[in-house]
mmCIF file of all heavy atoms in Angstrom:
data_model
loop_
_atom_site.group_PDB
_atom_site.id
_atom_site.type_symbol
_atom_site.label_atom_id
_atom_site.label_comp_id
_atom_site.label_asym_id
_atom_site.label_seq_id
_atom_site.Cartn_x
_atom_site.Cartn_y
_atom_site.Cartn_z
ATOM 1 N N TYR Z 20 0.842 -1.202 0.055
ATOM 2 C CA TYR Z 20 0.019 0.003 -0.030
ATOM 3 C C TYR Z 20 0.868 1.281 0.011
ATOM 4 O O TYR Z 20 0.668 2.178 -0.822
ATOM 5 C CB TYR Z 20 -0.920 -0.036 1.204
ATOM 6 C CG TYR Z 20 -1.730 1.198 1.468
ATOM 7 C CD1 TYR Z 20 -2.916 1.512 0.769
ATOM 8 C CD2 TYR Z 20 -1.190 2.271 2.302
ATOM 9 C CE1 TYR Z 20 -3.638 2.638 0.988
ATOM 10 C CE2 TYR Z 20 -1.898 3.422 2.496
ATOM 11 C CZ TYR Z 20 -3.076 3.615 1.784
ATOM 12 O OH TYR Z 20 -3.794 4.782 2.071
ATOM 13 N N ARG Z 21 1.818 1.303 0.877
ATOM 14 C CA ARG Z 21 2.704 2.489 0.986
ATOM 15 C C ARG Z 21 3.528 2.711 -0.254
ATOM 16 O O ARG Z 21 3.718 3.818 -0.685
ATOM 17 C CB ARG Z 21 3.640 2.340 2.176
ATOM 18 C CG ARG Z 21 2.840 2.497 3.535
ATOM 19 C CD ARG Z 21 3.723 2.283 4.741
ATOM 20 N NE ARG Z 21 3.085 2.586 5.984
ATOM 21 C CZ ARG Z 21 3.569 2.262 7.183
ATOM 22 N NH1 ARG Z 21 4.733 1.656 7.301
ATOM 23 N NH2 ARG Z 21 2.918 2.627 8.277
ATOM 24 N N VAL Z 22 4.025 1.649 -0.807
ATOM 25 C CA VAL Z 22 4.870 1.757 -2.015
ATOM 26 C C VAL Z 22 4.058 2.313 -3.199
ATOM 27 O O VAL Z 22 4.521 3.149 -3.966
ATOM 28 C CB VAL Z 22 5.598 0.397 -2.397
ATOM 29 C CG1 VAL Z 22 6.305 0.589 -3.747
ATOM 30 C CG2 VAL Z 22 6.549 0.067 -1.263
ATOM 31 N N THR Z 23 2.849 1.796 -3.338
ATOM 32 C CA THR Z 23 1.974 2.312 -4.429
ATOM 33 C C THR Z 23 1.678 3.794 -4.288
ATOM 34 O O THR Z 23 1.744 4.537 -5.212
ATOM 35 C CB THR Z 23 0.628 1.541 -4.483
ATOM 36 O OG1 THR Z 23 -0.042 1.662 -3.223
ATOM 37 C CG2 THR Z 23 0.791 0.120 -4.894
ATOM 38 N N ARG Z 24 1.464 4.189 -3.030
ATOM 39 C CA ARG Z 24 1.255 5.645 -2.816
ATOM 40 C C ARG Z 24 2.458 6.495 -3.055
ATOM 41 O O ARG Z 24 2.411 7.594 -3.511
ATOM 42 C CB ARG Z 24 0.719 5.861 -1.390
ATOM 43 C CG ARG Z 24 -0.744 5.794 -1.242
ATOM 44 C CD ARG Z 24 -1.405 4.492 -1.746
ATOM 45 N NE ARG Z 24 -2.807 4.438 -1.799
ATOM 46 C CZ ARG Z 24 -3.547 3.416 -2.219
ATOM 47 N NH1 ARG Z 24 -2.906 2.305 -2.723
ATOM 48 N NH2 ARG Z 24 -4.861 3.436 -2.239
ATOM 49 N N ALA Z 25 3.561 5.905 -2.663
ATOM 50 C CA ALA Z 25 4.846 6.613 -2.995
ATOM 51 C C ALA Z 25 5.042 6.785 -4.567
ATOM 52 O O ALA Z 25 5.463 7.953 -4.980
ATOM 53 C CB ALA Z 25 6.015 5.860 -2.422
ATOM 54 N N PHE Z 26 4.693 5.727 -5.293
ATOM 55 C CA PHE Z 26 4.841 5.923 -6.739
ATOM 56 C C PHE Z 26 3.755 6.871 -7.288
ATOM 57 O O PHE Z 26 3.962 7.546 -8.263
ATOM 58 C CB PHE Z 26 4.669 4.563 -7.426
ATOM 59 C CG PHE Z 26 5.989 3.847 -7.545
ATOM 60 C CD1 PHE Z 26 6.168 2.675 -6.767
ATOM 61 C CD2 PHE Z 26 7.006 4.265 -8.328
ATOM 62 C CE1 PHE Z 26 7.450 2.010 -6.856
ATOM 63 C CE2 PHE Z 26 8.224 3.572 -8.458
ATOM 64 C CZ PHE Z 26 8.471 2.495 -7.748
ATOM 65 N N CYS Z 27 2.632 6.979 -6.601
ATOM 66 C CA CYS Z 27 1.645 7.966 -6.986
ATOM 67 C C CYS Z 27 2.156 9.354 -6.909
ATOM 68 O O CYS Z 27 1.973 10.237 -7.744
ATOM 69 C CB CYS Z 27 0.277 7.822 -6.159
ATOM 70 S SG CYS Z 27 -0.733 6.403 -6.634
ATOM 71 N N TRP Z 28 2.905 9.623 -5.793
ATOM 72 C CA TRP Z 28 3.493 10.946 -5.625
ATOM 73 C C TRP Z 28 4.656 11.183 -6.609
ATOM 74 O O TRP Z 28 4.782 12.325 -7.114
ATOM 75 C CB TRP Z 28 4.036 11.066 -4.250
ATOM 76 C CG TRP Z 28 2.971 11.432 -3.208
ATOM 77 C CD1 TRP Z 28 2.352 10.705 -2.310
ATOM 78 C CD2 TRP Z 28 2.323 12.722 -3.119
ATOM 79 N NE1 TRP Z 28 1.441 11.370 -1.623
ATOM 80 C CE2 TRP Z 28 1.347 12.612 -2.051
ATOM 81 C CE3 TRP Z 28 2.490 13.979 -3.745
ATOM 82 C CZ2 TRP Z 28 0.586 13.661 -1.735
ATOM 83 C CZ3 TRP Z 28 1.695 15.022 -3.320
ATOM 84 C CH2 TRP Z 28 0.728 14.860 -2.354
ATOM 85 N N LEU Z 29 5.342 10.120 -7.001
ATOM 86 C CA LEU Z 29 6.380 10.262 -7.976
ATOM 87 C C LEU Z 29 5.752 10.604 -9.423
ATOM 88 O O LEU Z 29 6.269 11.432 -10.159
ATOM 89 C CB LEU Z 29 7.169 9.005 -8.104
ATOM 90 C CG LEU Z 29 8.381 9.019 -9.114
ATOM 91 C CD1 LEU Z 29 9.286 10.143 -8.892
ATOM 92 C CD2 LEU Z 29 9.054 7.685 -9.186
ATOM 93 N N VAL Z 30 4.581 9.959 -9.595
ATOM 94 C CA VAL Z 30 3.850 10.309 -10.950
ATOM 95 C C VAL Z 30 3.471 11.759 -10.973
ATOM 96 O O VAL Z 30 3.636 12.409 -11.993
ATOM 97 C CB VAL Z 30 2.602 9.358 -11.068
ATOM 98 C CG1 VAL Z 30 1.736 9.902 -12.171
ATOM 99 C CG2 VAL Z 30 3.050 7.922 -11.353
ATOM 100 N N LEU Z 31 2.921 12.262 -9.842
ATOM 101 C CA LEU Z 31 2.516 13.628 -9.756
ATOM 102 C C LEU Z 31 3.696 14.609 -9.936
ATOM 103 O O LEU Z 31 3.644 15.634 -10.633
ATOM 104 C CB LEU Z 31 1.779 13.952 -8.497
ATOM 105 C CG LEU Z 31 0.383 13.235 -8.303
ATOM 106 C CD1 LEU Z 31 -0.188 13.591 -6.997
ATOM 107 C CD2 LEU Z 31 -0.512 13.425 -9.435
ATOM 108 N N ALA Z 32 4.826 14.227 -9.330
ATOM 109 C CA ALA Z 32 6.067 14.978 -9.488
ATOM 110 C C ALA Z 32 6.514 15.081 -10.938
ATOM 111 O O ALA Z 32 6.891 16.126 -11.453
ATOM 112 C CB ALA Z 32 7.179 14.516 -8.631
ATOM 113 N N VAL Z 33 6.427 13.908 -11.612
ATOM 114 C CA VAL Z 33 6.865 13.865 -13.005
ATOM 115 C C VAL Z 33 5.901 14.700 -13.868
ATOM 116 O O VAL Z 33 6.368 15.422 -14.759
ATOM 117 C CB VAL Z 33 6.898 12.396 -13.442
ATOM 118 C CG1 VAL Z 33 6.952 12.300 -15.003
ATOM 119 C CG2 VAL Z 33 8.098 11.610 -12.907
ATOM 120 N N VAL Z 34 4.638 14.603 -13.596
ATOM 121 C CA VAL Z 34 3.622 15.403 -14.385
ATOM 122 C C VAL Z 34 3.927 16.843 -14.158
ATOM 123 O O VAL Z 34 3.894 17.668 -15.162
ATOM 124 C CB VAL Z 34 2.204 15.010 -13.958
ATOM 125 C CG1 VAL Z 34 1.207 15.939 -14.583
ATOM 126 C CG2 VAL Z 34 1.884 13.598 -14.350
ATOM 127 N N LEU Z 35 4.169 17.306 -12.915
ATOM 128 C CA LEU Z 35 4.546 18.652 -12.663
ATOM 129 C C LEU Z 35 5.750 19.102 -13.443
ATOM 130 O O LEU Z 35 5.814 20.225 -13.995
ATOM 131 C CB LEU Z 35 4.724 18.918 -11.163
ATOM 132 C CG LEU Z 35 5.107 20.261 -10.767
ATOM 133 C CD1 LEU Z 35 4.025 21.371 -11.064
ATOM 134 C CD2 LEU Z 35 5.412 20.320 -9.204
ATOM 135 N N GLY Z 36 6.742 18.227 -13.525
ATOM 136 C CA GLY Z 36 7.920 18.526 -14.253
ATOM 137 C C GLY Z 36 7.630 18.700 -15.738
ATOM 138 O O GLY Z 36 8.183 19.664 -16.363
ATOM 139 N N TRP Z 37 6.810 17.881 -16.317
ATOM 140 C CA TRP Z 37 6.433 18.062 -17.717
ATOM 141 C C TRP Z 37 5.682 19.314 -17.973
ATOM 142 O O TRP Z 37 5.984 20.065 -18.937
ATOM 143 C CB TRP Z 37 5.559 16.898 -18.221
ATOM 144 C CG TRP Z 37 6.348 15.566 -18.417
ATOM 145 C CD1 TRP Z 37 6.281 14.405 -17.773
ATOM 146 C CD2 TRP Z 37 7.322 15.386 -19.538
ATOM 147 N NE1 TRP Z 37 7.087 13.455 -18.292
ATOM 148 C CE2 TRP Z 37 7.777 13.990 -19.387
ATOM 149 C CE3 TRP Z 37 7.814 16.125 -20.560
ATOM 150 C CZ2 TRP Z 37 8.718 13.492 -20.218
ATOM 151 C CZ3 TRP Z 37 8.784 15.598 -21.343
ATOM 152 C CH2 TRP Z 37 9.215 14.262 -21.225
ATOM 153 N N VAL Z 38 4.807 19.704 -17.012
ATOM 154 C CA VAL Z 38 4.082 21.019 -17.176
ATOM 155 C C VAL Z 38 5.099 22.138 -17.133
ATOM 156 O O VAL Z 38 4.974 23.075 -17.927
ATOM 157 C CB VAL Z 38 3.062 21.096 -16.065
ATOM 158 C CG1 VAL Z 38 2.454 22.569 -16.027
ATOM 159 C CG2 VAL Z 38 1.920 20.044 -16.221
ATOM 160 N N MET Z 39 6.015 22.058 -16.209
ATOM 161 C CA MET Z 39 7.040 23.125 -16.153
ATOM 162 C C MET Z 39 7.839 23.183 -17.416
ATOM 163 O O MET Z 39 8.134 24.310 -17.889
ATOM 164 C CB MET Z 39 7.972 22.886 -14.961
ATOM 165 C CG MET Z 39 7.362 23.021 -13.632
ATOM 166 S SD MET Z 39 8.436 22.513 -12.278
ATOM 167 C CE MET Z 39 9.907 23.534 -12.416
ATOM 168 N N LEU Z 40 8.177 22.010 -17.983
ATOM 169 C CA LEU Z 40 8.951 22.093 -19.301
ATOM 170 C C LEU Z 40 8.105 22.663 -20.426
ATOM 171 O O LEU Z 40 8.640 23.490 -21.177
ATOM 172 C CB LEU Z 40 9.360 20.591 -19.588
ATOM 173 C CG LEU Z 40 10.191 20.467 -20.954
ATOM 174 C CD1 LEU Z 40 11.576 21.020 -20.691
ATOM 175 C CD2 LEU Z 40 10.288 18.977 -21.259
ATOM 176 N N VAL Z 41 6.836 22.308 -20.455
ATOM 177 C CA VAL Z 41 5.996 22.809 -21.478
ATOM 178 C C VAL Z 41 5.847 24.327 -21.334
ATOM 179 O O VAL Z 41 5.860 25.135 -22.338
ATOM 180 C CB VAL Z 41 4.662 22.108 -21.542
ATOM 181 C CG1 VAL Z 41 3.638 22.765 -22.407
ATOM 182 C CG2 VAL Z 41 4.845 20.654 -21.980
ATOM 183 N N GLN Z 42 5.700 24.785 -20.133
ATOM 184 C CA GLN Z 42 5.582 26.204 -19.899
ATOM 185 C C GLN Z 42 6.837 26.992 -20.342
ATOM 186 O O GLN Z 42 6.769 28.024 -20.913
ATOM 187 C CB GLN Z 42 5.290 26.499 -18.382
ATOM 188 C CG GLN Z 42 3.889 26.124 -17.984
ATOM 189 C CD GLN Z 42 3.545 26.431 -16.517
ATOM 190 O OE1 GLN Z 42 4.479 26.372 -15.656
ATOM 191 N NE2 GLN Z 42 2.436 26.779 -16.167
ATOM 192 N N ALA Z 43 7.979 26.458 -19.986
ATOM 193 C CA ALA Z 43 9.288 27.075 -20.383
ATOM 194 C C ALA Z 43 9.398 27.061 -21.895
ATOM 195 O O ALA Z 43 9.807 28.022 -22.513
ATOM 196 C CB ALA Z 43 10.446 26.355 -19.699
ATOM 197 N N PHE Z 44 8.973 25.937 -22.559
ATOM 198 C CA PHE Z 44 9.016 25.821 -23.955
ATOM 199 C C PHE Z 44 8.119 26.820 -24.588
ATOM 200 O O PHE Z 44 8.468 27.438 -25.618
ATOM 201 C CB PHE Z 44 8.591 24.344 -24.253
ATOM 202 C CG PHE Z 44 8.563 24.032 -25.767
ATOM 203 C CD1 PHE Z 44 9.327 24.644 -26.678
ATOM 204 C CD2 PHE Z 44 7.718 23.040 -26.198
ATOM 205 C CE1 PHE Z 44 9.290 24.329 -28.015
ATOM 206 C CE2 PHE Z 44 7.582 22.670 -27.487
ATOM 207 C CZ PHE Z 44 8.414 23.368 -28.456
ATOM 208 N N SER Z 45 6.888 26.992 -24.046
ATOM 209 C CA SER Z 45 5.981 27.936 -24.615
ATOM 210 C C SER Z 45 6.474 29.349 -24.468
ATOM 211 O O SER Z 45 6.264 30.213 -25.409
ATOM 212 C CB SER Z 45 4.582 27.792 -23.895
ATOM 213 O OG SER Z 45 3.685 28.703 -24.409
ATOM 214 N N ALA Z 46 7.062 29.705 -23.360
ATOM 215 C CA ALA Z 46 7.550 31.038 -23.113
ATOM 216 C C ALA Z 46 8.747 31.455 -24.008
ATOM 217 O O ALA Z 46 8.936 32.528 -24.438
ATOM 218 C CB ALA Z 46 7.904 31.308 -21.694
ATOM 219 N N ASP Z 47 9.601 30.412 -24.218
ATOM 220 C CA ASP Z 47 10.872 30.568 -24.986
ATOM 221 C C ASP Z 47 11.285 29.310 -25.588
ATOM 222 O O ASP Z 47 11.835 28.378 -24.935
ATOM 223 C CB ASP Z 47 11.988 31.136 -24.064
ATOM 224 C CG ASP Z 47 13.321 31.385 -24.774
ATOM 225 O OD1 ASP Z 47 13.305 31.266 -26.031
ATOM 226 O OD2 ASP Z 47 14.348 31.546 -24.097
ATOM 227 N N SER Z 48 10.975 29.203 -26.859
ATOM 228 C CA SER Z 48 11.283 27.866 -27.532
ATOM 229 C C SER Z 48 12.791 27.614 -27.584
ATOM 230 O O SER Z 48 13.262 26.474 -27.718
ATOM 231 C CB SER Z 48 10.759 27.898 -28.953
ATOM 232 O OG SER Z 48 11.269 28.980 -29.650
ATOM 233 N N GLY Z 49 13.606 28.681 -27.440
ATOM 234 C CA GLY Z 49 15.060 28.450 -27.388
ATOM 235 C C GLY Z 49 15.489 27.681 -26.231
ATOM 236 O O GLY Z 49 16.589 27.202 -26.193
ATOM 237 N N ALA Z 50 14.637 27.581 -25.164
ATOM 238 C CA ALA Z 50 14.975 26.838 -23.978
ATOM 239 C C ALA Z 50 15.205 25.394 -24.309
ATOM 240 O O ALA Z 50 15.813 24.607 -23.558
ATOM 241 C CB ALA Z 50 13.896 26.986 -22.908
ATOM 242 N N LEU Z 51 14.683 24.896 -25.407
ATOM 243 C CA LEU Z 51 14.855 23.476 -25.837
ATOM 244 C C LEU Z 51 16.132 23.353 -26.624
ATOM 245 O O LEU Z 51 16.456 22.267 -27.029
ATOM 246 C CB LEU Z 51 13.646 22.998 -26.660
ATOM 247 C CG LEU Z 51 12.403 22.768 -25.817
ATOM 248 C CD1 LEU Z 51 11.303 22.197 -26.753
ATOM 249 C CD2 LEU Z 51 12.651 21.793 -24.734
ATOM 250 N N GLY Z 52 16.936 24.369 -26.743
ATOM 251 C CA GLY Z 52 18.188 24.228 -27.506
ATOM 252 C C GLY Z 52 19.339 23.797 -26.617
ATOM 253 O O GLY Z 52 20.424 23.764 -27.014
ATOM 254 N N GLY Z 53 19.073 23.438 -25.316
ATOM 255 C CA GLY Z 53 20.100 23.060 -24.439
ATOM 256 C C GLY Z 53 19.929 23.460 -22.983
ATOM 257 O O GLY Z 53 20.333 22.739 -22.146
ATOM 258 N N GLN Z 54 19.227 24.626 -22.777
ATOM 259 C CA GLN Z 54 19.052 25.152 -21.433
ATOM 260 C C GLN Z 54 18.299 24.239 -20.513
ATOM 261 O O GLN Z 54 18.531 24.104 -19.343
ATOM 262 C CB GLN Z 54 18.329 26.476 -21.484
ATOM 263 C CG GLN Z 54 19.038 27.549 -22.300
ATOM 264 C CD GLN Z 54 18.212 28.805 -22.458
ATOM 265 O OE1 GLN Z 54 17.426 29.121 -21.548
ATOM 266 N NE2 GLN Z 54 18.324 29.461 -23.538
ATOM 267 N N LEU Z 55 17.353 23.465 -21.142
ATOM 268 C CA LEU Z 55 16.498 22.635 -20.344
ATOM 269 C C LEU Z 55 16.758 21.098 -20.610
ATOM 270 O O LEU Z 55 15.924 20.235 -20.207
ATOM 271 C CB LEU Z 55 14.976 22.959 -20.574
ATOM 272 C CG LEU Z 55 14.568 24.316 -20.073
ATOM 273 C CD1 LEU Z 55 13.080 24.563 -20.399
ATOM 274 C CD2 LEU Z 55 14.761 24.443 -18.586
ATOM 275 N N ASP Z 56 17.868 20.788 -21.231
ATOM 276 C CA ASP Z 56 18.156 19.434 -21.513
ATOM 277 C C ASP Z 56 18.238 18.587 -20.124
ATOM 278 O O ASP Z 56 17.797 17.463 -20.121
ATOM 279 C CB ASP Z 56 19.458 19.250 -22.246
ATOM 280 C CG ASP Z 56 19.351 19.587 -23.737
ATOM 281 O OD1 ASP Z 56 18.185 19.823 -24.142
ATOM 282 O OD2 ASP Z 56 20.392 19.715 -24.403
ATOM 283 N N TRP Z 57 18.761 19.273 -19.095
ATOM 284 C CA TRP Z 57 18.910 18.544 -17.808
ATOM 285 C C TRP Z 57 17.457 18.046 -17.319
ATOM 286 O O TRP Z 57 17.256 16.940 -16.850
ATOM 287 C CB TRP Z 57 19.529 19.458 -16.790
ATOM 288 C CG TRP Z 57 18.717 20.672 -16.428
ATOM 289 C CD1 TRP Z 57 18.688 21.824 -16.950
ATOM 290 C CD2 TRP Z 57 17.797 20.711 -15.341
ATOM 291 N NE1 TRP Z 57 17.854 22.701 -16.372
ATOM 292 C CE2 TRP Z 57 17.224 22.050 -15.397
ATOM 293 C CE3 TRP Z 57 17.328 19.809 -14.349
ATOM 294 C CZ2 TRP Z 57 16.244 22.455 -14.481
ATOM 295 C CZ3 TRP Z 57 16.303 20.205 -13.523
ATOM 296 C CH2 TRP Z 57 15.840 21.578 -13.562
ATOM 297 N N LEU Z 58 16.490 18.980 -17.452
ATOM 298 C CA LEU Z 58 15.107 18.713 -17.047
ATOM 299 C C LEU Z 58 14.481 17.601 -17.857
ATOM 300 O O LEU Z 58 13.835 16.681 -17.461
ATOM 301 C CB LEU Z 58 14.266 19.960 -16.982
ATOM 302 C CG LEU Z 58 12.828 19.831 -16.563
ATOM 303 C CD1 LEU Z 58 12.680 19.114 -15.209
ATOM 304 C CD2 LEU Z 58 12.115 21.109 -16.663
ATOM 305 N N LEU Z 59 14.714 17.794 -19.201
ATOM 306 C CA LEU Z 59 14.133 16.800 -20.131
ATOM 307 C C LEU Z 59 14.686 15.422 -19.831
ATOM 308 O O LEU Z 59 13.929 14.382 -19.788
ATOM 309 C CB LEU Z 59 14.446 17.160 -21.569
ATOM 310 C CG LEU Z 59 14.004 16.178 -22.607
ATOM 311 C CD1 LEU Z 59 12.520 15.942 -22.636
ATOM 312 C CD2 LEU Z 59 14.460 16.759 -23.992
ATOM 313 N N ASN Z 60 15.988 15.282 -19.703
ATOM 314 C CA ASN Z 60 16.587 13.978 -19.398
ATOM 315 C C ASN Z 60 16.181 13.382 -18.077
ATOM 316 O O ASN Z 60 15.954 12.223 -17.911
ATOM 317 C CB ASN Z 60 18.105 14.100 -19.497
ATOM 318 C CG ASN Z 60 18.648 14.205 -20.916
ATOM 319 O OD1 ASN Z 60 17.966 13.711 -21.866
ATOM 320 N ND2 ASN Z 60 19.794 14.811 -21.109
ATOM 321 N N LEU Z 61 15.951 14.305 -17.047
ATOM 322 C CA LEU Z 61 15.511 13.882 -15.772
ATOM 323 C C LEU Z 61 14.098 13.315 -15.893
ATOM 324 O O LEU Z 61 13.765 12.232 -15.353
ATOM 325 C CB LEU Z 61 15.529 15.074 -14.785
ATOM 326 C CG LEU Z 61 15.365 14.796 -13.299
ATOM 327 C CD1 LEU Z 61 16.618 13.985 -12.826
ATOM 328 C CD2 LEU Z 61 15.206 16.071 -12.455
ATOM 329 N N LEU Z 62 13.237 13.988 -16.692
ATOM 330 C CA LEU Z 62 11.855 13.539 -16.786
ATOM 331 C C LEU Z 62 11.814 12.193 -17.547
ATOM 332 O O LEU Z 62 11.070 11.272 -17.270
ATOM 333 C CB LEU Z 62 11.060 14.610 -17.518
ATOM 334 C CG LEU Z 62 10.816 15.860 -16.704
ATOM 335 C CD1 LEU Z 62 10.124 16.959 -17.575
ATOM 336 C CD2 LEU Z 62 9.838 15.527 -15.545
ATOM 337 N N ARG Z 63 12.696 12.115 -18.551
ATOM 338 C CA ARG Z 63 12.729 10.890 -19.415
ATOM 339 C C ARG Z 63 13.257 9.715 -18.632
ATOM 340 O O ARG Z 63 13.091 8.516 -19.059
ATOM 341 C CB ARG Z 63 13.373 11.150 -20.703
ATOM 342 C CG ARG Z 63 12.549 12.040 -21.607
ATOM 343 C CD ARG Z 63 13.068 12.086 -23.024
ATOM 344 N NE ARG Z 63 14.461 12.654 -23.110
ATOM 345 C CZ ARG Z 63 15.047 12.930 -24.263
ATOM 346 N NH1 ARG Z 63 14.475 12.643 -25.489
ATOM 347 N NH2 ARG Z 63 16.235 13.434 -24.263
ATOM 348 N N THR Z 64 13.943 10.000 -17.537
ATOM 349 C CA THR Z 64 14.453 8.916 -16.670
ATOM 350 C C THR Z 64 13.405 8.465 -15.743
ATOM 351 O O THR Z 64 13.148 7.250 -15.527
ATOM 352 C CB THR Z 64 15.725 9.443 -15.840
ATOM 353 O OG1 THR Z 64 16.798 9.712 -16.808
ATOM 354 C CG2 THR Z 64 16.147 8.373 -14.909
ATOM 355 N N PHE Z 65 12.748 9.488 -15.113
ATOM 356 C CA PHE Z 65 11.746 9.081 -14.010
ATOM 357 C C PHE Z 65 10.362 8.821 -14.475
ATOM 358 O O PHE Z 65 9.635 8.191 -13.796
ATOM 359 C CB PHE Z 65 11.806 10.255 -12.991
ATOM 360 C CG PHE Z 65 12.967 10.149 -11.989
ATOM 361 C CD1 PHE Z 65 14.094 10.997 -12.259
ATOM 362 C CD2 PHE Z 65 12.991 9.283 -10.974
ATOM 363 C CE1 PHE Z 65 15.175 10.944 -11.409
ATOM 364 C CE2 PHE Z 65 14.083 9.222 -10.039
ATOM 365 C CZ PHE Z 65 15.099 10.039 -10.343
#
């Protein structure tokens, strides 16, 4: 039970990360030229 809930929180954290990435992308598409590669790779890992 506890492990499933922990993964639920990890899912929400990942979703929040994707939202942040999309917001940054929308505000400045140049952010995808390297500035946010760390966040993208982190999200694609988790």
Side-chain angles (χ1 to χ4, degrees):
Y20 173 85
R21 287 174 173 172
V22 174
T23 57
R24 271 54 188 180
F26 273 111
C27 285
W28 279 105
L29 181 58
V30 166
L31 295 182
V33 166
V34 170
L35 178 62
W37 283 112
V38 170
M39 292 171 58
L40 181 68
V41 169
Q42 286 181 329
F44 179 29
S45 179
D47 179 11
S48 57
L51 286 182
Q54 301 173 32
L55 294 177
D56 283 354
W57 67 270
L58 177 57
L59 175 61
N60 286 332
L61 196 67
L62 290 172
R63 292 191 293 186
T64 297
F65 281 97

